[in-house]
């Protein structure tokens, strides 16, 4: 192909173009902005790939369709649908920037012969930190306290505004996978009693290391816990896992903490439980949809703490996510096993 035939509006030197064309083409939603990959990650990504955005792809579809080998999803963007997959005949792999894959139709993607990967290792510590931060913030009513401390109307600090003790309290963890176990390690440092419910019981030495007790059924955990933390993937089995029955099993003094996915909790039943005192409060980093409509009644309740899906959003974790994604993509393009491959089943 001649230089003048390459459809770039702002063309760099011919040498740079040839170097870029030798790299596999990676499709991303955009660079920077609200939905784009972080600009700080560009030098690392450009060592391995020729990056194109969805805008560039759509504007030069005929040229790029056969060249795109991989897609990097940054916070669920771009949207992967059948139309996009049909337009990318040589697509080999889709790498997701988080752990949850519920935003993807895994069977459909696999049907196109495309492999998939997530980034479970990069997000472990940051997500566990976020879970404990929510627990502590809710227990000690830190948001309310901050509002009082900075309010221009405050004349004194009320001595009757009390929070809940975390030390010695019982934490029930639903979903003791890698992140759940990290939370247990942190809770142990707070001298909490730890219960957990999981599809599979962990090894005895792992339980002993964090002082965790296994609950074979979720009901026992809910009835005993002062704080219940949800750390499960969203699947058909966990959809609305916490509903009316489960909320009513909890202590009226208990707080629910959700760092998994919004749809793991039945929000209508949660709203009623909070309004009627079935449980004391909720702290959640996830809702459905995200964000909630601005007139949603959950946003009006004082016993609700909501953060904007901050789980793994730290500078270090975000870079580790990109590193993990690149490792998975390069492995797939070389026909090797991917460290974090996700299968349709």
């Amino acid at each position: 192909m001649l230089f003048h035939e390459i459809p770039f509006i702002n063309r760099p030197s011919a040498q740079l173009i040839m170097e870029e064309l030798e790299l596999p083409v990676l499709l991303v939603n955009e660079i920077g902005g609200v939905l784009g990959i972080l600009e700080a990650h560009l030098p690392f990504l450009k060592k391995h790939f020729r990056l194109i955005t969805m805008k560039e792809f759509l504007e030069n579809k005929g040229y790029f369709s056969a060249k795109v080998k991989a897609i990097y999803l940054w916070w669920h963007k771009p949207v992967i649908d059948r139309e996009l997959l049909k337009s990318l005949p040589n697509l080999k792999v889709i790498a997701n920037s988080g752990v949850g894959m519920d935003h993807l139709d895994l069977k459909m993607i696999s049907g196109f012969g495309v492999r998939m990967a997530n980034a479970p290792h990069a997000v472990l510590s940051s997500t566990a930190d976020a879970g404990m931060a929510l627990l502590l913030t809710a227990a000690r009513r830190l948001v309310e306290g901050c509002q009082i401390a900075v309010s221009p109307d405050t004349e004194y600090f009320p001595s009757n505004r009390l929070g809940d003790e975390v030390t010695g309290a019982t934490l029930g963890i639903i979903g003791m996978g890698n992140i759940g176990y990290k939370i247990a390690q942190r809770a142990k440092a707070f001298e909490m009693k730890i219960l957990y419910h999981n599809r599979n019981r962990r090894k005895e030495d792992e339980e002993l290391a964090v002082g965790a007790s296994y609950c074979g059924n979720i009901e026992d955990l809910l009835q005993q816990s002062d704080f219940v933390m949800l750390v499960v993937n969203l699947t058909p089995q966990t959809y609305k896992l916490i509903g009316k029955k489960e909320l009513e099993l909890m202590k009226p003094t208990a707080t629910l903490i959700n760092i998994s996915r919004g749809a793991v909790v039945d929000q209508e039943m949660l709203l009623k439980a909070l309004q009627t005192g079935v449980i004391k409060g909720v702290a959640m980093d996830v809702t459905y949809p995200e964000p909630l409509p601005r007139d949603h009644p959950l946003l009006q309740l004082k016993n609700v703490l909501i953060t904007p899906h901050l789980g793994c959003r730290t500078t270090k974790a975000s870079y580790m996510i990109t590193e993990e994604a690149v490792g998975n993509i390069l492995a797939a393009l070389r026909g090797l096993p991917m460290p974090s491959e996700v299968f349709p089943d």
Side-chain angles (χ1 to χ4, degrees), residues 182-198:
K182 287 274 188 182
I183 289 166
Q185 290 175 325
R186 286 151 174 75
K188 182 188 177 186
F190 282 90
E191 301 173 25
M192 300 187 81
K193 178 182 178 182
I194 302 167
L195 307 176
Y196 79 98
H197 174 75
N198 206 40

Side-chain angles (χ1 to χ4, degrees), residues 160-193:
N160 61 346
R161 187 171 291 272
L162 306 177
D164 295 322
E165 193 81 16
V166 171
T167 301
T170 298
L171 170 63
I173 301 173
I174 299 177
M176 185 81 101
N178 292 328
I179 294 174
Y181 195 76
K182 287 274 188 182
I183 289 166
Q185 290 175 325
R186 286 151 174 75
K188 182 188 177 186
F190 282 90
E191 301 173 25
M192 300 187 81
K193 178 182 178 182

Side-chain angles (χ1 to χ4, degrees), residues 134 256-259 262 265 267 270 274 282-287 292 298 304-309:
L134 282 172
L256 179 68
I257 302 148
N258 188 6
I259 59 170
V265 178
Q267 281 185 176
L270 174 63
L274 293 165
V282 66
M284 44 191 182
D285 192 38
V286 288
T287 59
L292 289 173
L298 276 173
V304 173
L305 169 62
I306 301 177
T307 50
H309 210 141

Side-chain angles (χ1 to χ4, degrees), residues 244-254 269-270 272-281 303:
K244 183 176 185 292
K245 172 188 171 185
E246 289 73 25
L247 291 164
E248 290 178 348
L249 285 170
M250 292 174 63
K251 297 178 180 180
T253 55
M269 295 299 104
L270 174 63
K272 292 179 181 178
L274 293 165
Q275 290 172 328
T276 58
V278 171
I279 63 172
K280 182 173 183 178
N303 53 349

